[in-house]
Amino acid sequence: MRTREEALKYGLSFPGTYQEAPFHDQNWQLVRVKKSKKAFLWTYEKDGFINLNLKVDPEWRDLWRKTYTAVIPAYHQNKEHWNTVILDGSIPDDVIKRMIAESYDLVTDSPTKRIYEAVKKIPKGKVATYADVAEMAGDRKMARAVGNALHKNPDPSTIPCHRVVNSKGELAGEYAFGGAWKQAQILESEGVEVFEGKVNLDKYRIK
């Protein structure tokens, strides 16, 4: 991703967003969330490159900066909560998209964000069903959305989606990070017994 057009197009692909140039300066093009009018993607040209200002979780802020020299403390914004991403071609497209998506989630009450936060609460040695996670995220009817969100889990090391099973205790045949056998392997390493692709919910389900 090297151009403003690519960044804006991706930002506008998220639900309930719109583009704005609020400073009477066409160099600054923003994408905001309609409901709150909060901006999550700022684009502008500086020093010959298109730059993006993106909101960032403080837990990830320094990691992004250390990993990519083109990610720096935000220009003209709170440097604790915002990063500037310089589109110089050194950062893979999927990483830039992930950072834009995270910025969107941080300024919205995103169901995906709530799902990930719920999954983080499942302790080691326990499991939860999709419906359990949906209820923890505020809406038991979101069970299908839980499956979709976990399939796109951006960080399995901190969002333990392997601890989520179906209503019968069965593992995910299409577990996104190595299949059901991998899910079983991780669960067993945490002390959860898996027998014929199933977990005993009476014993291991989170209360």
Side-chain angles (χ1 to χ4, degrees):
M1 186 181 293
R2 298 290 293 267
T3 68
R4 184 199 305 269
E5 289 72 26
E6 290 174 287
L8 291 172
K9 182 178 179 181
Y10 185 68
L12 291 167
S13 72
F14 291 90
T17 56
Y18 67 99
Q19 183 177 337
E20 184 183 33
F23 307 125
H24 306 293
D25 179 355
Q26 290 301 309
N27 186 38
W28 288 84
Q29 299 283 336
L30 282 58
V31 180
R32 297 184 186 272
V33 177
K34 288 178 181 177
K35 186 174 181 181
S36 65
K37 295 185 168 52
K38 290 181 179 179
F40 66 95
L41 171 61
W42 303 60
T43 73
Y44 53 96
E45 185 175 350
K46 185 175 182 290
D47 301 326
F49 293 106
I50 295 299
N51 286 217
L52 314 178
N53 278 10
L54 302 171
K55 194 162 190 181
V56 63
D57 188 319
E59 292 182 10
W60 284 89
R61 178 194 62 218
D62 297 331
L63 178 64
W64 288 129
R65 294 176 189 175
K66 289 176 183 177
T67 304
Y68 299 102
T69 57
V71 178
I72 60 175
Y75 175 65
H76 273 326
Q77 282 184 281
N78 184 312
K79 292 170 174 50
E80 288 188 21
H81 297 282
W82 292 81
N83 277 340
T84 288
V85 178
I86 303 167
L87 300 187
D88 63 359
S90 65
I91 308 175
D93 281 11
D94 62 329
V95 175
I96 296 172
K97 288 180 177 180
R98 175 176 167 182
M99 288 190 279
I100 294 173
E102 287 177 353
S103 184
Y104 174 80
D105 281 347
L106 285 168
V107 303
T108 60
D109 183 25
S110 157
T112 299
K113 178 182 173 183
R114 286 186 277 126
I115 286 167
Y116 290 155
E117 290 303 313
V119 173
K120 289 179 182 178
K121 295 176 183 176
I122 307 170
K124 189 175 181 179
K126 293 291 183 180
V127 299
T129 67
Y130 294 100
D132 291 337
V133 173
E135 187 168 3
M136 291 163 65
D139 185 353
R140 196 173 179 84
K141 296 177 182 178
M142 289 198 307
R144 180 170 291 183
V146 171
N148 292 335
L150 297 187
H151 194 70
K152 298 182 290 185
N153 184 352
D155 186 20
S157 64
T158 59
I159 304 169
C161 54
H162 62 275
R163 296 176 189 159
V164 183
V165 297
N166 72 14
S167 60
K168 298 177 182 177
E170 296 169 339
L171 306 191
E174 296 183 359
Y175 178 61
F177 306 98
W181 70 271
K182 183 64 176 179
Q183 184 179 10
Q185 187 180 54
I186 301 172
L187 285 172
E188 287 173 342
S189 75
E190 295 181 345
V192 176
E193 296 173 346
V194 178
F195 180 70
E196 295 184 347
K198 291 181 66 174
V199 170
N200 183 333
L201 291 180
D202 291 335
K203 185 175 182 179
Y204 296 107
R205 189 177 192 176
I206 187 174
K207 303 300 182 185

